[in-house]
Amino acid sequence: MRRRHLLAATFTLACLGGFLTAAPAAAKFHRQQKLDLAPGGELLVEAAGGSVTVTGGAADGGTVVITSTRDDIEDRYSFEVTSEPGRARVISRRRGGWSQGFGWNSSGNLHFDVRVPRATRVDLKSSGGGIRVSGLKGNARVRSSGGGLRIADIAGDIDASSSGGGVEVKQVSGDVRVSSSGGGVDVTQVNGNVDASSSGGGVHVDGVGGKVTADSSGGSVSAVLAEGNAAGGSLSSSGGGVRVAIARDTRLSIDAYSSGGSVSCELPVERSGKQTRTTLRGDLNGGGSVLKLRSSGGGIRIDASGG
């Protein structure tokens, strides 16, 4: 299996449902406020409606810009923005309780655009739209029940979940824990460990330097391990097949079983125990940490990366 085949299901921006659309050009509501946030501080965002974009890079302080195509948006939502050097908060709430304002486009493309110092930790939540985060040096906790997530260029750990769309994560120096019940999950270029799951689509992981745990009940699972990654892990799917690409000189112990198809392997695994068309157990280059592969929705393929 070639790398391009393994990643053929990688998500495009359009697959994430268009939640990353910039603030509306014809905004009728526009509010901008400076943030007194020092590097090393924390940003908290709780958005009851609308999408959120958080970008790191400000030398000190920061800004929040709230826009909407509805000129009556303040009749529907309240906005609270507070900040001090150690912490900034951006909160929106629906007026009149959750039952009000659920009509089509009731939020009027409400969007929160926040710029903060790169050295900022973030805790972000949206119940009305997707979230995009980039350019931060700090841990990020991200939750959305109204859209997908796109997270990139993070020097820290990621804890993210979405019930409203797919999730895309790339260029992370720490560990990643991510889940979606509203779409697929795509994770690339992670130095640490990855724990990724989806009940709404496939899970696709590429270029991970640590232990990989990937599970899907909504689609296939595929992974390309970074060169030198011998941490092992577990890949499983009940919604499709499982594919993994491993460098030929990696030391791993393979434990693969499929009840939905056959197991194929192009690497020189020294097999042990009883072998069948649907089972493969053995050591690669003398063995090491265990890589467990399971599928009840399709076959399992083990290929050499770069081949």
Side-chain angles (χ1 to χ4, degrees):
M1 174 188 58
R2 284 176 167 79
R3 181 186 180 100
R4 64 177 177 272
H5 292 160
L6 181 65
L7 299 178
T10 298
F11 301 105
T12 63
L13 187 59
C15 291
L16 297 180
F19 75 93
L20 300 178
T21 306
K28 295 181 179 179
F29 174 84
H30 183 282
R31 174 179 172 182
Q32 180 171 334
Q33 186 169 331
K34 291 184 177 180
L35 300 175
D36 182 19
L37 182 64
E42 179 183 37
L43 171 68
L44 171 66
V45 176
E46 294 183 3
S51 58
V52 177
T53 298
V54 176
T55 308
D60 197 1
T63 58
V64 55
V65 177
I66 306 172
T67 54
S68 173
T69 55
R70 298 191 68 107
D71 55 10
D72 64 346
I73 194 68
E74 288 186 289
D75 294 335
R76 298 168 177 266
Y77 293 87
S78 65
F79 303 107
E80 175 188 347
V81 179
T82 60
S83 65
E84 55 186 298
R87 195 182 196 206
R89 301 170 72 247
V90 179
I91 311 292
S92 73
R93 297 183 177 89
R94 285 188 174 90
R95 298 188 186 276
W98 289 93
S99 62
Q100 181 177 330
F102 272 103
W104 180 83
N105 201 26
S106 64
S107 65
N109 296 318
L110 181 61
H111 184 72
F112 300 82
D113 190 344
V114 188
R115 307 298 175 97
V116 294
R118 178 166 172 78
T120 299
R121 305 181 309 278
V122 297
D123 188 344
L124 313 175
K125 180 179 179 181
S126 174
S127 57
I131 301 176
R132 176 170 61 180
V133 188
S134 63
L136 295 176
K137 185 178 180 181
N139 297 339
R141 182 175 185 268
V142 186
R143 301 285 186 271
S144 175
S145 58
L149 306 177
R150 189 182 186 192
I151 304 169
D153 186 19
I154 304 296
D157 297 336
I158 303 294
D159 182 355
S161 66
S162 172
S163 59
V167 179
E168 180 181 338
V169 178
K170 63 180 181 180
Q171 294 178 304
V172 178
S173 64
D175 297 334
V176 171
R177 182 180 180 88
V178 59
S179 65
S180 174
S181 59
V185 173
D186 190 7
V187 180
T188 60
Q189 302 175 47
V190 175
N191 292 341
N193 301 323
V194 169
D195 186 339
S197 64
S198 175
S199 59
V203 175
H204 307 284
V205 179
D206 183 10
V208 176
K211 183 177 180 179
V212 178
T213 303
D215 174 77
S216 175
S217 59
S220 62
V221 171
S222 65
V224 178
L225 304 186
E227 186 173 355
N229 181 359
S234 174
L235 309 178
S236 63
S237 175
S238 59
V242 172
R243 297 181 177 184
V244 61
I246 307 168
R248 290 185 178 274
D249 59 355
T250 304
R251 295 173 59 91
L252 283 172
S253 294
I254 306 296
D255 178 0
Y257 171 71
S258 173
S259 61
S262 61
V263 177
S264 64
C265 181
E266 67 176 27
L267 295 170
V269 174
E270 183 179 349
R271 303 179 182 233
S272 61
K274 183 179 179 180
Q275 307 292 324
T276 69
R277 182 180 65 87
T278 62
T279 304
L280 172 63
R281 293 183 176 88
D283 294 334
L284 178 63
N285 299 310
S289 297
V290 175
L291 179 61
K292 183 178 179 180
L293 309 172
R294 295 289 187 271
S295 176
S296 60
I300 295 175
R301 290 185 59 176
I302 307 169
D303 296 313
S305 60

